[in-house]
Amino acid sequence: MSQGVRTRPEGSGQPLSEAYDTALLDLDGVVYAGGSAIAHAVDSLAVARSGGMRLAYVTNNALRTPDTVAAHLTELGIPTGADDVITSAQAVARLISEQVPAGARVLVIGGEGLRVALRERGLVPVESADDDPAAVVQGYGGPDLPWGRFAEASYAVRRGVPWFASNTDLTIPSGRGIAPGNGAAVEVVRIATGAEPQVAGKPLPPMHRETIIRTGAKRPLVVGDRLDTDIEGAFNGEVDSLLVLTGVTDGAQLLAAPPQHRPTYVDEDLRGLLTGQPEVTGDGTGFRCGGWTATAGADRLELTGDGEAPDGLRALCAAAWTAAGEGSCALDGGKALARLGL
Ligand SMILES: [Mg+2]
């Protein structure tokens, strides 16, 4: 993929599950939501896999071990082995292992996923700033992480011990709403110390590197629902991406996306893996996809025609992204999106 400024979603004559060897799938908002499978996920993934596509699951959540995540997916009807799951805990453990002596002690503020990942790299998890750690690592610890853990991190970080974070997602979705994520916990230690951690998770390169090392993917396709983690991570890793609309991103956010947040492909849900992707045609005067034509007016985006909603969205993306160039489109797309039910 070239890193010129993307001004429209690309087309694909082949089903994406055949055009790419490995899908690097985000979990929340893509495969499941609140613990239950998202519509069409189980069937679509089964078909993609039987056609020869490797499926790997890439999560910024460092709390659960790959074994636990794999068991959850298998229970949902998506047969998955622990080797098919890549977590930000694994990415940060590798990053730490490259900067401390072999067998070093690492102060852990987080959950079991982080401890397992550190041991896998030959590092020794410890619990206190007094245990003489060579590094401090923070990962999501769940709702029961005691406040005193942040004090342990702060004592060590203030002494100058190198500080790492699995990821900096500020929030995490739960069955009851939006809860503080690991990024919020990192902010607590940042405020107390004035220090800056090294971060591994999406959209940063250590996470992408970990997925490529572990999957051996030659032609990967990142599949995600978030522009600032999944899609930006693919952009930074210079690989193609598919945005699905089953998670946190709505049509307006997609139209306003700056270049590093523009996906290669856009589709409603994981059924998009099994089909080709229609081309968007046209130029400065209008962009066509399916039965739709999108244009950029003086202060808003216009959409005429008829057809499938994702095709209308693709045409609108081309109009908005072309108008915005290297910036972020400020044209009002509300009326056009309403026509599509998006
Ligand atoms: Mg997600």
Side-chain angles (χ1 to χ4, degrees), residues 67-92:
D67 274 315
T68 308
V69 175
H72 179 200
L73 289 169
T74 302
E75 194 184 304
L76 292 176
I78 304 163
T80 305
D83 289 348
D84 303 323
V85 178
I86 299 101
T87 73
S88 65
Q90 295 170 321
V92 79

PDB file of all heavy atoms in Angstrom, residues 67-92:
ATOM      1  N   ASP A  67      -5.079 -17.583  26.265  1.00  0.00           N
ATOM      2  CA  ASP A  67      -5.882 -18.788  26.531  1.00  0.00           C
ATOM      3  C   ASP A  67      -7.326 -18.426  26.859  1.00  0.00           C
ATOM      4  O   ASP A  67      -8.263 -19.056  26.366  1.00  0.00           O
ATOM      5  CB  ASP A  67      -5.299 -19.561  27.727  1.00  0.00           C
ATOM      6  CG  ASP A  67      -4.203 -20.509  27.299  1.00  0.00           C
ATOM      7  OD1 ASP A  67      -4.411 -21.203  26.285  1.00  0.00           O
ATOM      8  OD2 ASP A  67      -3.149 -20.537  27.960  1.00  0.00           O
ATOM      9  N   THR A  68      -7.494 -17.415  27.711  1.00  0.00           N
ATOM     10  CA  THR A  68      -8.835 -17.014  28.132  1.00  0.00           C
ATOM     11  C   THR A  68      -9.619 -16.418  26.963  1.00  0.00           C
ATOM     12  O   THR A  68     -10.808 -16.713  26.781  1.00  0.00           O
ATOM     13  CB  THR A  68      -8.739 -15.976  29.280  1.00  0.00           C
ATOM     14  OG1 THR A  68      -7.893 -16.514  30.285  1.00  0.00           O
ATOM     15  CG2 THR A  68     -10.092 -15.672  29.869  1.00  0.00           C
ATOM     16  N   VAL A  69      -8.954 -15.574  26.174  1.00  0.00           N
ATOM     17  CA  VAL A  69      -9.622 -14.973  25.017  1.00  0.00           C
ATOM     18  C   VAL A  69     -10.017 -16.061  24.023  1.00  0.00           C
ATOM     19  O   VAL A  69     -11.134 -16.067  23.486  1.00  0.00           O
ATOM     20  CB  VAL A  69      -8.703 -13.922  24.344  1.00  0.00           C
ATOM     21  CG1 VAL A  69      -9.340 -13.391  23.067  1.00  0.00           C
ATOM     22  CG2 VAL A  69      -8.412 -12.771  25.304  1.00  0.00           C
ATOM     23  N   ALA A  70      -9.105 -17.007  23.777  1.00  0.00           N
ATOM     24  CA  ALA A  70      -9.388 -18.085  22.818  1.00  0.00           C
ATOM     25  C   ALA A  70     -10.568 -18.933  23.290  1.00  0.00           C
ATOM     26  O   ALA A  70     -11.425 -19.327  22.490  1.00  0.00           O
ATOM     27  CB  ALA A  70      -8.145 -18.952  22.622  1.00  0.00           C
ATOM     28  N   ALA A  71     -10.625 -19.190  24.591  1.00  0.00           N
ATOM     29  CA  ALA A  71     -11.743 -19.990  25.125  1.00  0.00           C
ATOM     30  C   ALA A  71     -13.062 -19.248  24.954  1.00  0.00           C
ATOM     31  O   ALA A  71     -14.092 -19.856  24.610  1.00  0.00           O
ATOM     32  CB  ALA A  71     -11.486 -20.290  26.606  1.00  0.00           C
ATOM     33  N   HIS A  72     -13.040 -17.933  25.158  1.00  0.00           N
ATOM     34  CA  HIS A  72     -14.250 -17.128  24.978  1.00  0.00           C
ATOM     35  C   HIS A  72     -14.726 -17.178  23.523  1.00  0.00           C
ATOM     36  O   HIS A  72     -15.905 -17.416  23.231  1.00  0.00           O
ATOM     37  CB  HIS A  72     -13.966 -15.687  25.419  1.00  0.00           C
ATOM     38  CG  HIS A  72     -15.125 -14.748  25.267  1.00  0.00           C
ATOM     39  ND1 HIS A  72     -14.971 -13.392  25.215  1.00  0.00           N
ATOM     40  CD2 HIS A  72     -16.456 -14.978  25.139  1.00  0.00           C
ATOM     41  CE1 HIS A  72     -16.161 -12.826  25.074  1.00  0.00           C
ATOM     42  NE2 HIS A  72     -17.070 -13.759  25.020  1.00  0.00           N
ATOM     43  N   LEU A  73     -13.784 -16.996  22.579  1.00  0.00           N
ATOM     44  CA  LEU A  73     -14.154 -17.019  21.158  1.00  0.00           C
ATOM     45  C   LEU A  73     -14.691 -18.389  20.766  1.00  0.00           C
ATOM     46  O   LEU A  73     -15.679 -18.505  20.025  1.00  0.00           O
ATOM     47  CB  LEU A  73     -12.945 -16.644  20.291  1.00  0.00           C
ATOM     48  CG  LEU A  73     -12.532 -15.174  20.360  1.00  0.00           C
ATOM     49  CD1 LEU A  73     -11.173 -14.951  19.698  1.00  0.00           C
ATOM     50  CD2 LEU A  73     -13.578 -14.290  19.689  1.00  0.00           C
ATOM     51  N   THR A  74     -14.039 -19.439  21.261  1.00  0.00           N
ATOM     52  CA  THR A  74     -14.470 -20.799  20.931  1.00  0.00           C
ATOM     53  C   THR A  74     -15.891 -21.043  21.441  1.00  0.00           C
ATOM     54  O   THR A  74     -16.715 -21.642  20.748  1.00  0.00           O
ATOM     55  CB  THR A  74     -13.474 -21.812  21.524  1.00  0.00           C
ATOM     56  OG1 THR A  74     -12.170 -21.536  20.995  1.00  0.00           O
ATOM     57  CG2 THR A  74     -13.859 -23.244  21.176  1.00  0.00           C
ATOM     58  N   GLU A  75     -16.158 -20.523  22.644  1.00  0.00           N
ATOM     59  CA  GLU A  75     -17.498 -20.660  23.219  1.00  0.00           C
ATOM     60  C   GLU A  75     -18.552 -19.932  22.384  1.00  0.00           C
ATOM     61  O   GLU A  75     -19.710 -20.368  22.291  1.00  0.00           O
ATOM     62  CB  GLU A  75     -17.466 -20.072  24.636  1.00  0.00           C
ATOM     63  CG  GLU A  75     -18.635 -20.402  25.512  1.00  0.00           C
ATOM     64  CD  GLU A  75     -18.492 -19.662  26.845  1.00  0.00           C
ATOM     65  OE1 GLU A  75     -17.452 -19.844  27.513  1.00  0.00           O
ATOM     66  OE2 GLU A  75     -19.399 -18.890  27.184  1.00  0.00           O
ATOM     67  N   LEU A  76     -18.142 -18.823  21.752  1.00  0.00           N
ATOM     68  CA  LEU A  76     -19.078 -18.077  20.888  1.00  0.00           C
ATOM     69  C   LEU A  76     -19.311 -18.783  19.552  1.00  0.00           C
ATOM     70  O   LEU A  76     -20.142 -18.348  18.756  1.00  0.00           O
ATOM     71  CB  LEU A  76     -18.550 -16.661  20.624  1.00  0.00           C
ATOM     72  CG  LEU A  76     -18.507 -15.699  21.805  1.00  0.00           C
ATOM     73  CD1 LEU A  76     -17.877 -14.368  21.394  1.00  0.00           C
ATOM     74  CD2 LEU A  76     -19.901 -15.463  22.371  1.00  0.00           C
ATOM     75  N   GLY A  77     -18.537 -19.851  19.278  1.00  0.00           N
ATOM     76  CA  GLY A  77     -18.697 -20.570  18.017  1.00  0.00           C
ATOM     77  C   GLY A  77     -17.615 -20.244  17.012  1.00  0.00           C
ATOM     78  O   GLY A  77     -17.747 -20.536  15.820  1.00  0.00           O
ATOM     79  N   ILE A  78     -16.526 -19.615  17.475  1.00  0.00           N
ATOM     80  CA  ILE A  78     -15.396 -19.284  16.609  1.00  0.00           C
ATOM     81  C   ILE A  78     -14.189 -20.066  17.134  1.00  0.00           C
ATOM     82  O   ILE A  78     -13.502 -19.615  18.062  1.00  0.00           O
ATOM     83  CB  ILE A  78     -15.117 -17.769  16.650  1.00  0.00           C
ATOM     84  CG1 ILE A  78     -16.368 -16.974  16.263  1.00  0.00           C
ATOM     85  CG2 ILE A  78     -13.953 -17.399  15.741  1.00  0.00           C
ATOM     86  CD1 ILE A  78     -16.336 -15.506  16.650  1.00  0.00           C
ATOM     87  N   PRO A  79     -13.928 -21.266  16.582  1.00  0.00           N
ATOM     88  CA  PRO A  79     -12.844 -22.093  17.121  1.00  0.00           C
ATOM     89  C   PRO A  79     -11.507 -21.350  17.026  1.00  0.00           C
ATOM     90  O   PRO A  79     -11.100 -20.942  15.938  1.00  0.00           O
ATOM     91  CB  PRO A  79     -12.840 -23.331  16.211  1.00  0.00           C
ATOM     92  CG  PRO A  79     -14.145 -23.297  15.483  1.00  0.00           C
ATOM     93  CD  PRO A  79     -14.571 -21.864  15.415  1.00  0.00           C
ATOM     94  N   THR A  80     -10.863 -21.137  18.176  1.00  0.00           N
ATOM     95  CA  THR A  80      -9.658 -20.315  18.231  1.00  0.00           C
ATOM     96  C   THR A  80      -8.660 -20.942  19.194  1.00  0.00           C
ATOM     97  O   THR A  80      -9.039 -21.395  20.271  1.00  0.00           O
ATOM     98  CB  THR A  80     -10.019 -18.898  18.743  1.00  0.00           C
ATOM     99  OG1 THR A  80     -11.050 -18.355  17.916  1.00  0.00           O
ATOM    100  CG2 THR A  80      -8.819 -17.969  18.714  1.00  0.00           C
ATOM    101  N   GLY A  81      -7.376 -20.973  18.798  1.00  0.00           N
ATOM    102  CA  GLY A  81      -6.311 -21.417  19.694  1.00  0.00           C
ATOM    103  C   GLY A  81      -5.619 -20.211  20.313  1.00  0.00           C
ATOM    104  O   GLY A  81      -5.707 -19.094  19.780  1.00  0.00           O
ATOM    105  N   ALA A  82      -4.915 -20.440  21.416  1.00  0.00           N
ATOM    106  CA  ALA A  82      -4.216 -19.329  22.089  1.00  0.00           C
ATOM    107  C   ALA A  82      -3.205 -18.665  21.149  1.00  0.00           C
ATOM    108  O   ALA A  82      -2.976 -17.459  21.230  1.00  0.00           O
ATOM    109  CB  ALA A  82      -3.523 -19.846  23.352  1.00  0.00           C
ATOM    110  N   ASP A  83      -2.626 -19.445  20.216  1.00  0.00           N
ATOM    111  CA  ASP A  83      -1.649 -18.879  19.276  1.00  0.00           C
ATOM    112  C   ASP A  83      -2.273 -17.902  18.288  1.00  0.00           C
ATOM    113  O   ASP A  83      -1.562 -17.175  17.585  1.00  0.00           O
ATOM    114  CB  ASP A  83      -0.974 -19.995  18.469  1.00  0.00           C
ATOM    115  CG  ASP A  83      -0.025 -20.810  19.320  1.00  0.00           C
ATOM    116  OD1 ASP A  83       0.274 -20.367  20.454  1.00  0.00           O
ATOM    117  OD2 ASP A  83       0.417 -21.876  18.854  1.00  0.00           O
ATOM    118  N   ASP A  84      -3.609 -17.918  18.204  1.00  0.00           N
ATOM    119  CA  ASP A  84      -4.297 -17.020  17.271  1.00  0.00           C
ATOM    120  C   ASP A  84      -4.635 -15.674  17.912  1.00  0.00           C
ATOM    121  O   ASP A  84      -5.274 -14.835  17.287  1.00  0.00           O
ATOM    122  CB  ASP A  84      -5.600 -17.661  16.779  1.00  0.00           C
ATOM    123  CG  ASP A  84      -5.365 -19.009  16.130  1.00  0.00           C
ATOM    124  OD1 ASP A  84      -4.342 -19.159  15.438  1.00  0.00           O
ATOM    125  OD2 ASP A  84      -6.198 -19.924  16.317  1.00  0.00           O
ATOM    126  N   VAL A  85      -4.254 -15.507  19.182  1.00  0.00           N
ATOM    127  CA  VAL A  85      -4.595 -14.279  19.907  1.00  0.00           C
ATOM    128  C   VAL A  85      -3.312 -13.512  20.233  1.00  0.00           C
ATOM    129  O   VAL A  85      -2.374 -14.080  20.793  1.00  0.00           O
ATOM    130  CB  VAL A  85      -5.346 -14.608  21.217  1.00  0.00           C
ATOM    131  CG1 VAL A  85      -5.665 -13.330  21.997  1.00  0.00           C
ATOM    132  CG2 VAL A  85      -6.628 -15.389  20.905  1.00  0.00           C
ATOM    133  N   ILE A  86      -3.272 -12.253  19.864  1.00  0.00           N
ATOM    134  CA  ILE A  86      -2.114 -11.397  20.153  1.00  0.00           C
ATOM    135  C   ILE A  86      -2.604 -10.240  21.014  1.00  0.00           C
ATOM    136  O   ILE A  86      -3.556  -9.551  20.662  1.00  0.00           O
ATOM    137  CB  ILE A  86      -1.463 -10.860  18.856  1.00  0.00           C
ATOM    138  CG1 ILE A  86      -0.969 -12.029  18.000  1.00  0.00           C
ATOM    139  CG2 ILE A  86      -0.289  -9.945  19.189  1.00  0.00           C
ATOM    140  CD1 ILE A  86      -1.853 -12.396  16.870  1.00  0.00           C
ATOM    141  N   THR A  87      -1.939 -10.045  22.167  1.00  0.00           N
ATOM    142  CA  THR A  87      -2.378  -8.998  23.097  1.00  0.00           C
ATOM    143  C   THR A  87      -1.297  -7.930  23.263  1.00  0.00           C
ATOM    144  O   THR A  87      -0.111  -8.180  23.020  1.00  0.00           O
ATOM    145  CB  THR A  87      -2.684  -9.580  24.491  1.00  0.00           C
ATOM    146  OG1 THR A  87      -1.447  -9.913  25.123  1.00  0.00           O
ATOM    147  CG2 THR A  87      -3.573 -10.823  24.417  1.00  0.00           C
ATOM    148  N   SER A  88      -1.740  -6.774  23.736  1.00  0.00           N
ATOM    149  CA  SER A  88      -0.773  -5.698  23.998  1.00  0.00           C
ATOM    150  C   SER A  88       0.163  -6.073  25.139  1.00  0.00           C
ATOM    151  O   SER A  88       1.264  -5.524  25.253  1.00  0.00           O
ATOM    152  CB  SER A  88      -1.496  -4.386  24.308  1.00  0.00           C
ATOM    153  OG  SER A  88      -2.227  -4.503  25.512  1.00  0.00           O
ATOM    154  N   ALA A  89      -0.247  -7.041  25.993  1.00  0.00           N
ATOM    155  CA  ALA A  89       0.651  -7.526  27.047  1.00  0.00           C
ATOM    156  C   ALA A  89       1.866  -8.209  26.418  1.00  0.00           C
ATOM    157  O   ALA A  89       3.003  -8.019  26.871  1.00  0.00           O
ATOM    158  CB  ALA A  89      -0.095  -8.505  27.965  1.00  0.00           C
ATOM    159  N   GLN A  90       1.633  -8.988  25.369  1.00  0.00           N
ATOM    160  CA  GLN A  90       2.753  -9.651  24.690  1.00  0.00           C
ATOM    161  C   GLN A  90       3.667  -8.625  24.019  1.00  0.00           C
ATOM    162  O   GLN A  90       4.897  -8.762  24.031  1.00  0.00           O
ATOM    163  CB  GLN A  90       2.221 -10.631  23.644  1.00  0.00           C
ATOM    164  CG  GLN A  90       1.443 -11.786  24.253  1.00  0.00           C
ATOM    165  CD  GLN A  90       0.732 -12.613  23.194  1.00  0.00           C
ATOM    166  OE1 GLN A  90       0.193 -12.081  22.222  1.00  0.00           O
ATOM    167  NE2 GLN A  90       0.718 -13.928  23.392  1.00  0.00           N
ATOM    168  N   ALA A  91       3.047  -7.610  23.415  1.00  0.00           N
ATOM    169  CA  ALA A  91       3.841  -6.587  22.711  1.00  0.00           C
ATOM    170  C   ALA A  91       4.701  -5.797  23.698  1.00  0.00           C
ATOM    171  O   ALA A  91       5.872  -5.515  23.429  1.00  0.00           O
ATOM    172  CB  ALA A  91       2.913  -5.656  21.928  1.00  0.00           C
ATOM    173  N   VAL A  92       4.119  -5.451  24.853  1.00  0.00           N
ATOM    174  CA  VAL A  92       4.902  -4.651  25.804  1.00  0.00           C
ATOM    175  C   VAL A  92       5.967  -5.515  26.483  1.00  0.00           C
ATOM    176  O   VAL A  92       7.063  -5.033  26.789  1.00  0.00           O
ATOM    177  CB  VAL A  92       3.985  -3.933  26.829  1.00  0.00           C
ATOM    178  CG1 VAL A  92       3.509  -4.839  27.948  1.00  0.00           C
ATOM    179  CG2 VAL A  92       4.709  -2.719  27.412  1.00  0.00           C
TER     180      VAL A  92
END
